[in-house]
Amino acid sequence: MDKTIAVIRGDGIGPEIITQAVSVLEKTANIYGHRFIYNEIDMGGMAIDKWGEPLPDKMLQLCRESDSVLLGAVGGEKWNSVPGHIRPEKGLLKLRAGMGAYSNNRPAKIWKQLASASPLKKDIVDKGIDFIIVRELIGGVYFGEHKTDTADGIRYASDMMIYNESEIERICRIGFETARKRRKKLCSVEKSNILDTSRLWKKVVHEIASDYPDVTLTDMLVDNCAMQIVKDPSQFDVIVTENMFGDILSDEASMITGSIGMIPSSSLGAGTKGVYEPIHGSAPDIAGKDIANPIGTILSAAMMLRYSFGMADEADSIEKAVSEYLDAGYRTADILPREAEEKEKCILVGCSECGRLITNYIK
Ligand code: IPM
Ligand code: MG
């Protein structure tokens, strides 16, 4: 099969981790007889340097014409002082919105090989961590009006949070559908004790619940959810929530699984085209040192094959290769065990070595 992939290397560790993911994709293509054609896309800080904006329209167009988008990471210190409307992150939001990718799927699952890397106590980890955060991605406060001004000599700023019922309904339906394929438990997370958007959210999710009688729906306030994720993560199967809550909770959820460097994500809209990216950022402090963990990006590539290209066997073989790599004791610095005894059993590798090993494990 021929597939076109828009590849965004971006900033910081982005280029390093994407190189490893592409090597994994190439090996997979060779084994299964596919051809992947890569469209290189300028986005983020590097696009600001080159084009004066974080995602030029012609680049977005190329993404839309591709079968899917694979993204490393964008942003960094260097562009922190550029005006808000052209910051690197704005490119990311423009991409998500331009692709209509409203549904962001972030798994929090502990790899058995990395259980000791979790900061949670063993008895909590042993109860199991395997849930998915379904995050609304193209609405809410991220996309409302942002304003900074002065009134009566006092500076103020505001960010508008808006949701309409159809935006809420479509993401909650994804939540129900996702739960249906798993342990059939959906937890809707909001702040309905304070926010009108959350009260509407809660109403809408309960209105559509009768279409999914096989799924048990519960409600949870976001602050409580943040606490429950560290107290007893085994209670969660699927969490559905709005954009900013999902951003925050998914970082927390990734950490309890050992490392944010391991977590992939998919963002899908109405069709099969998606945006696939690790959930971590561009980590400028470790960029260029060949120590980043490329697994989040490699697993994102696997998700792309599974969900956008219908290549389940291919995705399985990538995930199996990652598991075998971990079984063999290889670890990038971020997932190296803390205790000396455990550490001794592991082999510390860099980003390119990690990619090379996983590529070799693909059969
Ligand atoms: C994420 C990131 C982005 C977000 C940033 C880089 C804009 O934190 O994908 O979680 O907030 O969505
Ligand atoms: Mg985030």
Side-chain angles (χ1 to χ4, degrees), residues 43-204:
M43 188 175 110
M46 58 84 73
I48 297 176
D49 291 348
K50 198 162 157 189
W51 305 101
E53 52 176 319
L55 182 64
D57 289 342
K58 60 176 183 234
M59 292 290 162
L60 175 59
Q61 194 48 37
L62 253 180
C63 290
R64 291 163 60 107
E65 285 163 9
S66 305
D67 292 310
S68 263
V69 180
L70 182 66
L71 162 63
V74 296
E77 191 79 18
K78 184 177 169 201
W79 304 279
N80 276 354
S81 52
V82 303
H85 69 283
I86 59 158
R87 277 183 67 103
E89 292 81 0
K90 278 283 171 186
L92 186 55
L93 300 197
K94 181 173 171 182
L95 174 72
R96 290 170 176 172
M99 298 288 293
Y102 65 85
S103 169
N104 181 220
N105 186 319
R106 299 187 161 186
K109 186 173 173 174
I110 198 143
W111 289 78
K112 65 176 191 319
Q113 301 94 330
L114 299 182
S116 67
S118 172
L120 296 186
K121 291 220 174 72
K122 191 171 177 304
D123 58 318
I124 298 178
V125 174
D126 287 348
K127 284 174 78 183
I129 302 176
D130 179 9
F131 62 97
I132 290 186
I133 296 182
V134 174
R135 168 187 175 193
E136 199 293 322
L137 202 60
I138 56 175
V141 72
Y142 275 53
F143 288 88
E145 190 196 358
H146 305 289
K147 203 168 142 193
T148 306
D149 210 340
T150 304
D152 301 328
I154 299 197
R155 287 173 297 165
Y156 73 91
S158 68
D159 302 281
M160 181 77 90
M161 182 160 178
I162 302 183
Y163 270 109
N164 68 38
E165 56 182 319
S166 42
E167 290 171 314
I168 298 171
E169 179 178 334
R170 67 182 180 182
I171 191 67
C172 290
R173 286 198 185 276
I174 301 281
F176 279 112
E177 301 286 349
T178 309
R180 204 165 235 186
K181 294 186 203 121
R182 295 172 45 97
R183 301 192 303 276
K184 301 184 172 42
K185 290 199 307 186
L186 179 65
C187 180
S188 163
V189 172
E190 28 69 6
K191 187 74 185 167
S192 56
N193 52 350
I194 297 291
L195 303 176
D196 269 20
T197 43
S198 283
R199 284 191 273 270
L200 180 62
W201 181 284
K202 192 169 174 181
K203 248 191 214 119
V204 171

Side-chain angles (χ1 to χ4, degrees), residues 154 161 229 234 249 251 265 293 360:
I154 299 197
M161 182 160 178
I229 284 176
S234 72
L249 295 176
D251 267 32
S265 80
N293 185 351
N360 283 343

Side-chain angles (χ1 to χ4, degrees), residues 149-330:
D149 210 340
T150 304
D152 301 328
I154 299 197
R155 287 173 297 165
Y156 73 91
S158 68
D159 302 281
M160 181 77 90
M161 182 160 178
I162 302 183
Y163 270 109
N164 68 38
E165 56 182 319
S166 42
E167 290 171 314
I168 298 171
E169 179 178 334
R170 67 182 180 182
I171 191 67
C172 290
R173 286 198 185 276
I174 301 281
F176 279 112
E177 301 286 349
T178 309
R180 204 165 235 186
K181 294 186 203 121
R182 295 172 45 97
R183 301 192 303 276
K184 301 184 172 42
K185 290 199 307 186
L186 179 65
C187 180
S188 163
V189 172
E190 28 69 6
K191 187 74 185 167
S192 56
N193 52 350
I194 297 291
L195 303 176
D196 269 20
T197 43
S198 283
R199 284 191 273 270
L200 180 62
W201 181 284
K202 192 169 174 181
K203 248 191 214 119
V204 171
V205 73
H206 281 273
E207 278 163 14
I208 62 172
S210 55
D211 292 345
Y212 308 89
D214 50 329
V215 176
T216 308
L217 172 67
T218 53
D219 306 292
M220 194 177 278
L221 296 173
V222 63
D223 47 351
N224 183 27
C225 182
M227 183 173 78
Q228 296 298 331
I229 284 176
V230 288
K231 192 170 166 229
D232 178 18
S234 72
Q235 69 186 285
F236 295 112
D237 179 18
V238 179
I239 287 173
V240 65
T241 192
E242 68 88 39
N243 202 344
M244 187 165 65
F245 297 161
D247 176 45
I248 298 167
L249 295 176
S250 62
D251 267 32
E252 186 192 13
S254 71
M255 198 56 229
I256 64 166
T257 68
S259 169
I260 193 168
M262 297 287 298
I263 314 280
S265 80
S266 67
S267 305
L268 288 152
T272 57
K273 288 182 189 186
V275 178
Y276 295 85
E277 51 176 317
I279 80 157
H280 62 70
S282 60
D285 52 321
I286 60 164
K289 296 186 181 157
D290 196 29
I291 56 174
N293 185 351
I295 294 182
T297 318
I298 290 171
L299 293 173
S300 298
M303 278 181 115
M304 176 177 72
L305 301 188
R306 189 185 302 284
Y307 297 116
S308 285
F309 300 170
M311 299 177 180
D313 290 345
E314 291 82 337
D316 284 346
S317 65
I318 295 175
E319 285 162 7
K320 194 158 159 276
V322 170
S323 193
E324 285 175 13
Y325 157 93
L326 294 172
D327 283 341
Y330 296 109

